[in-house]
Amino acid sequence: MTQAPRIVLLAHGSSDQRWCDTFEQLAKPTLEAVPGSRIAYMELAQPSLQQIIAEGVAEGAESFTVVPLFLAAGRHLRRDVPEMIAALEEEHGVRVALAPAIGEHPLLAEAIKDVVALQLQTTERSVG
């Protein structure tokens, strides 16, 4: 029986731990709901994508799906991350799929609208 791919939530990374903390909070519901899912950082923070793939392979994982926590696909998602993935596939003999940037999904647009609506309600209450 083929196992489901491991989900890796990929954030850019920052040397500012507060930035990383924000992404770890965003990832928390997914990490709690999806067995074996992890967050990784492309650069400037740990754990790296390389570390997470290596750990998964050591645990017997054969395939991964990287879900970029990016609002849009720029140079990193068009060039840098695919190059990293190709190297990891070759090094570990696994399959790594790259999902579209999370910002390209229509549900994120709806979530932003909902957050703005809540902010407007809060602002109206504090002004009124």
Coordinates of all heavy atoms in Angstrom, one line a residue, residues 3-10 27 30-31 33-40 49 52-53 56 59 61 63-69 95-99 102:
Q3 N 1.9 4.9 0.8 CA 1.5 5.9 1.8 C 1.3 7.3 1.2 O 1.8 7.6 0.1 CB 2.6 6.0 2.9 CG 4.0 6.3 2.3 CD 5.1 6.3 3.4 OE1 5.2 7.3 4.0 NE2 5.8 5.2 3.5
A4 N 0.5 8.1 1.9 CA 0.2 9.4 1.4 C 1.5 10.2 1.5 O 2.3 10.0 2.4 CB -0.9 10.0 2.3
P5 N 1.6 11.2 0.6 CA 2.8 12.1 0.7 C 2.9 12.9 2.0 O 1.8 13.2 2.6 CB 2.8 13.0 -0.5 CG 1.4 12.8 -1.0 CD 0.8 11.6 -0.5
R6 N 4.0 13.1 2.5 CA 4.2 13.9 3.7 C 4.0 15.4 3.3 O 4.5 15.8 2.2 CB 5.6 13.8 4.3 CG 5.9 12.5 4.9 CD 5.7 12.5 6.4 NE 6.0 11.2 7.0 CZ 7.0 11.0 7.8 NH1 7.8 12.0 8.2 NH2 7.2 9.8 8.3
I7 N 3.3 16.2 4.0 CA 3.1 17.6 3.7 C 4.2 18.4 4.4 O 4.4 18.3 5.6 CB 1.7 18.0 4.2 CG1 0.6 17.2 3.5 CG2 1.5 19.5 4.0 CD1 0.6 17.4 2.0
V8 N 4.8 19.3 3.6 CA 5.8 20.2 4.2 C 5.3 21.6 3.9 O 5.2 22.0 2.7 CB 7.2 20.0 3.6 CG1 8.2 20.9 4.2 CG2 7.6 18.5 3.7
L9 N 5.0 22.4 4.9 CA 4.6 23.8 4.7 C 5.9 24.6 4.7 O 6.7 24.6 5.6 CB 3.8 24.2 5.9 CG 2.5 23.5 6.1 CD1 1.8 24.0 7.4 CD2 1.6 23.6 4.9
L10 N 6.2 25.2 3.5 CA 7.5 25.9 3.3 C 7.3 27.4 3.4 O 6.6 28.0 2.6 CB 8.0 25.5 1.9 CG 9.4 26.2 1.6 CD1 10.5 25.6 2.5 CD2 9.7 25.9 0.1
A27 N 0.8 27.8 10.8 CA 1.0 26.4 10.5 C 0.4 25.4 11.5 O 0.0 24.3 11.2 CB 2.4 26.0 10.3
T30 N -2.7 23.1 10.8 CA -2.4 22.1 9.8 C -1.5 21.0 10.4 O -1.8 19.8 10.3 CB -1.7 22.7 8.6 OG1 -2.6 23.7 8.0 CG2 -1.4 21.6 7.6
L31 N -0.5 21.4 11.2 CA 0.4 20.5 11.8 C -0.3 19.6 12.8 O 0.0 18.4 12.9 CB 1.5 21.2 12.5 CG 2.4 22.1 11.6 CD1 3.5 22.8 12.4 CD2 3.0 21.3 10.5
A33 N -3.6 18.8 12.5 CA -4.6 18.0 11.8 C -4.1 17.0 10.8 O -4.8 16.0 10.5 CB -5.6 19.0 11.0
V34 N -2.9 17.2 10.3 CA -2.3 16.4 9.2 C -1.2 15.6 9.8 O -0.1 16.2 10.0 CB -1.9 17.2 8.0 CG1 -1.3 16.3 6.9 CG2 -3.1 18.0 7.4
P35 N -1.3 14.3 10.0 CA -0.2 13.5 10.6 C 1.0 13.6 9.7 O 1.0 13.5 8.5 CB -0.8 12.1 10.5 CG -2.3 12.2 10.5 CD -2.5 13.5 9.7
G36 N 2.1 13.8 10.4 CA 3.4 13.8 9.7 C 3.8 15.1 9.0 O 4.9 15.2 8.5
S37 N 2.9 16.1 9.1 CA 3.2 17.3 8.4 C 4.2 18.1 9.2 O 4.3 18.0 10.4 CB 1.9 18.1 8.2 OG 1.3 18.5 9.4
R38 N 4.9 19.0 8.5 CA 6.0 19.8 9.2 C 6.1 21.1 8.5 O 5.6 21.3 7.4 CB 7.4 19.1 9.1 CG 7.5 17.7 9.7 CD 7.6 17.7 11.2 NE 8.7 18.6 11.7 CZ 9.9 18.2 11.8 NH1 10.3 17.0 11.5 NH2 10.8 19.1 12.3
I39 N 6.7 22.1 9.2 CA 7.0 23.4 8.6 C 8.5 23.4 8.4 O 9.3 22.8 9.2 CB 6.5 24.5 9.5 CG1 6.7 25.9 8.7 CG2 7.3 24.6 10.8 CD1 6.0 27.1 9.4
A40 N 8.9 24.0 7.3 CA 10.3 24.1 7.0 C 10.5 25.5 6.4 O 9.6 26.2 6.0 CB 10.7 23.1 5.9
L49 N 14.3 22.9 4.6 CA 13.6 21.9 3.7 C 14.4 20.6 3.6 O 13.9 19.5 3.7 CB 13.3 22.5 2.3 CG 12.6 21.6 1.4 CD1 11.2 21.1 1.9 CD2 12.4 22.3 0.0
I52 N 14.0 18.6 6.8 CA 12.7 17.9 7.0 C 12.6 16.7 6.0 O 12.1 15.7 6.4 CB 11.6 18.9 6.7 CG1 11.6 20.0 7.8 CG2 10.2 18.3 6.6 CD1 11.4 19.5 9.2
I53 N 13.1 16.9 4.8 CA 13.1 15.8 3.8 C 14.0 14.6 4.3 O 13.5 13.5 4.3 CB 13.5 16.2 2.4 CG1 12.6 17.3 1.9 CG2 13.7 15.0 1.5 CD1 11.2 16.9 1.6
G56 N 12.2 12.8 7.1 CA 11.1 12.0 6.6 C 11.6 10.8 6.0 O 11.0 9.7 6.2
E59 N 12.5 8.2 8.4 CA 11.3 7.6 9.0 C 10.5 6.7 8.0 O 9.4 6.2 8.3 CB 10.3 8.7 9.5 CG 11.0 9.5 10.7 CD 10.2 10.8 11.0 OE1 9.2 11.1 10.3 OE2 10.6 11.5 12.0
A61 N 9.5 7.8 4.7 CA 8.6 8.5 3.8 C 9.3 8.3 2.4 O 10.5 8.4 2.2 CB 8.5 9.9 4.1
S63 N 7.5 10.0 -0.4 CA 7.0 11.1 -1.2 C 6.6 12.3 -0.3 O 6.2 12.0 0.8 CB 5.9 10.7 -2.2 OG 4.8 10.4 -1.5
F64 N 6.7 13.5 -0.9 CA 6.4 14.7 -0.1 C 5.7 15.6 -1.0 O 5.9 15.6 -2.2 CB 7.7 15.4 0.4 CG 8.6 14.5 1.2 CD1 9.5 13.6 0.7 CD2 8.6 14.6 2.6 CE1 10.3 12.7 1.5 CE2 9.4 13.8 3.4 CZ 10.2 12.9 2.9
T65 N 4.9 16.5 -0.4 CA 4.3 17.6 -1.1 C 4.6 18.8 -0.4 O 4.3 19.0 0.8 CB 2.7 17.4 -1.2 OG1 2.4 16.3 -2.0 CG2 2.1 18.7 -1.9
V66 N 5.3 19.8 -1.1 CA 5.7 21.0 -0.5 C 4.6 22.1 -0.8 O 4.3 22.3 -2.0 CB 7.1 21.5 -1.0 CG1 7.4 22.9 -0.5 CG2 8.1 20.5 -0.7
V67 N 4.0 22.6 0.3 CA 3.0 23.7 0.1 C 3.6 25.0 0.5 O 3.9 25.2 1.7 CB 1.8 23.4 1.0 CG1 0.7 24.5 0.9 CG2 1.2 22.0 0.7
P68 N 3.9 25.8 -0.5 CA 4.6 27.1 -0.1 C 3.7 28.1 0.5 O 2.6 28.4 0.0 CB 5.1 27.6 -1.5 CG 4.9 26.5 -2.5 CD 3.8 25.6 -1.9
L69 N 4.1 28.6 1.7 CA 3.3 29.6 2.4 C 3.8 31.0 1.9 O 4.3 31.9 2.6 CB 3.6 29.5 3.9 CG 3.2 28.2 4.5 CD1 3.4 28.2 6.0 CD2 1.7 27.9 4.2
R95 N 10.1 11.3 -4.2 CA 9.4 12.2 -5.1 C 8.9 13.4 -4.2 O 8.4 13.2 -3.1 CB 8.1 11.5 -5.6 CG 8.5 10.4 -6.7 CD 7.2 9.8 -7.2 NE 6.2 9.4 -6.2 CZ 6.3 8.3 -5.4 NH1 7.3 7.5 -5.5 NH2 5.4 8.0 -4.6
V96 N 9.1 14.6 -4.7 CA 8.7 15.8 -4.0 C 7.9 16.7 -5.0 O 8.5 17.2 -6.0 CB 10.0 16.6 -3.5 CG1 9.5 17.8 -2.7 CG2 10.9 15.7 -2.6
A97 N 6.6 16.8 -4.7 CA 5.8 17.6 -5.5 C 5.7 19.0 -5.0 O 5.8 19.2 -3.7 CB 4.4 17.0 -5.6
L98 N 5.7 20.0 -5.8 CA 5.6 21.4 -5.4 C 4.2 21.9 -5.7 O 3.8 22.0 -6.9 CB 6.6 22.3 -6.1 CG 6.6 23.8 -5.8 CD1 6.9 24.0 -4.3 CD2 7.7 24.5 -6.6
A99 N 3.4 22.2 -4.7 CA 2.0 22.8 -4.8 C 2.2 24.3 -5.2 O 3.2 24.9 -5.0 CB 1.2 22.6 -3.5
I102 N 0.4 29.3 -1.7 CA -0.9 29.3 -0.9 C -1.7 30.6 -1.3 O -3.0 30.5 -1.3 CB -0.6 29.2 0.6 CG1 -1.9 28.7 1.3 CG2 -0.1 30.5 1.2 CD1 -2.1 27.3 1.3

